[in-house]
Amino acid sequence: MEELARYLKNYYHLSAAAYDALSACFEEKIFAKNDYLLKEGKICRHLYFLKQGALRGYYNADGKAITHWFGFEDNFVTSFYSFITEKPAVENLQFIEGSIVYAISKERLNGLFNQYHEIERLVRIVYEQYYIRLEERYVNAQFKTAAELYHNLLEQSPHIIGRVPLGYISSYLGITQETLSRIRKPR
């Protein structure tokens, strides 16, 4: 739970009582590579903190898996749409490495919101950060070239190349693997 405490302090400082109550509600879960955290059509009832490992979020469209995000250590991950709306997920969350997560149910989290308003404020900030990243990704996809997208990805997440298959990266960037290979060739 030390990773979680360190991460939370980056967003909002919780009182010791609020942190203790929050950490008591998380349970550790271990997943193997290729396991699913969530499959489309299921309702996501937990918010997860990724302690170790990596996963991807992807949609199925016309028989193709389209990767739209990656999660790595020290991030909250979930199907935010499904978690917030309590509707079936339209995405799949699949581990691309063996991983360890801390999970908290929406029910328990809502109970903490009522008891500790500072936890509610913290989670609101986490949601805001998620939506900021989502909008940045959308804007970048609209106005940047494939090469610019790839170089931005390397700048923001240099570890991604060694950890994520190139097919997932090309899907994430919205380009073919051949285009990604051309971009990656030294000049």
Side-chain angles (χ1 to χ4, degrees), residues 4 22 24 27 33 44-45 56 63 73 78 81 83-85 87 91 97 116-117 120 126 136 142 161 165 183-184:
L4 180 59
L22 181 62
E27 77 178 84
K33 180 180 179 176
C44 184
R45 302 192 189 281
R56 70 179 180 132
E73 290 85 6
T78 195
Y81 169 80
F83 182 72
I84 293 168
T85 65
K87 293 181 180 176
E91 67 183 323
E97 295 177 353
Y116 299 96
H117 293 290
E120 187 173 31
V126 168
E136 286 173 346
Q142 297 299 311
I161 293 300
I183 292 169
R184 295 184 70 218

Side-chain angles (χ1 to χ4, degrees), residues 4-14 49 74-76 118 121-130 132-133:
L4 180 59
R6 202 172 42 252
Y7 180 79
L8 294 178
K9 287 178 184 172
N10 290 328
Y11 286 96
Y12 188 80
H13 182 73
L14 295 175
F49 179 77
D74 296 336
N75 274 293
F76 281 99
E118 61 196 290
R121 189 170 299 127
L122 168 73
V123 173
R124 188 200 75 222
I125 293 168
V126 168
Y127 285 174
E128 288 171 354
Q129 293 300 312
Y130 170 78
I132 288 168
R133 285 193 313 269

Side-chain angles (χ1 to χ4, degrees), residues 102-114:
Y102 298 129
I104 186 169
S105 71
K106 184 169 186 174
E107 182 181 358
R108 291 189 92 176
L109 191 57
N110 284 337
L112 290 172
F113 288 168
N114 294 328

Side-chain angles (χ1 to χ4, degrees), residues 21-116:
L22 181 62
S23 62
C25 291
F26 276 96
E27 77 178 84
E28 185 176 277
K29 296 182 179 232
I30 299 171
F31 293 91
K33 180 180 179 176
N34 296 322
D35 280 353
Y36 282 85
L37 186 62
L38 180 72
K39 289 188 177 184
E40 64 184 290
K42 302 290 183 188
I43 296 174
C44 184
R45 302 192 189 281
H46 290 83
L47 178 65
Y48 303 91
F49 179 77
L50 188 55
K51 174 185 175 184
Q52 176 185 320
L55 77 159
R56 70 179 180 132
Y58 74 91
Y59 299 103
N60 285 311
D62 299 325
K64 290 176 64 176
I66 309 297
T67 299
H68 69 101
W69 65 272
F70 297 106
F72 297 99
E73 290 85 6
D74 296 336
N75 274 293
F76 281 99
V77 296
T78 195
S79 173
F80 279 96
Y81 169 80
S82 180
F83 182 72
I84 293 168
T85 65
E86 298 182 5
K87 293 181 180 176
V90 295
E91 67 183 323
N92 297 282
L93 306 181
Q94 182 184 32
F95 290 98
I96 53 179
E97 295 177 353
S99 299
I100 301 171
V101 299
Y102 298 129
I104 186 169
S105 71
K106 184 169 186 174
E107 182 181 358
R108 291 189 92 176
L109 191 57
N110 284 337
L112 290 172
F113 288 168
N114 294 328
Q115 192 174 1
Y116 299 96

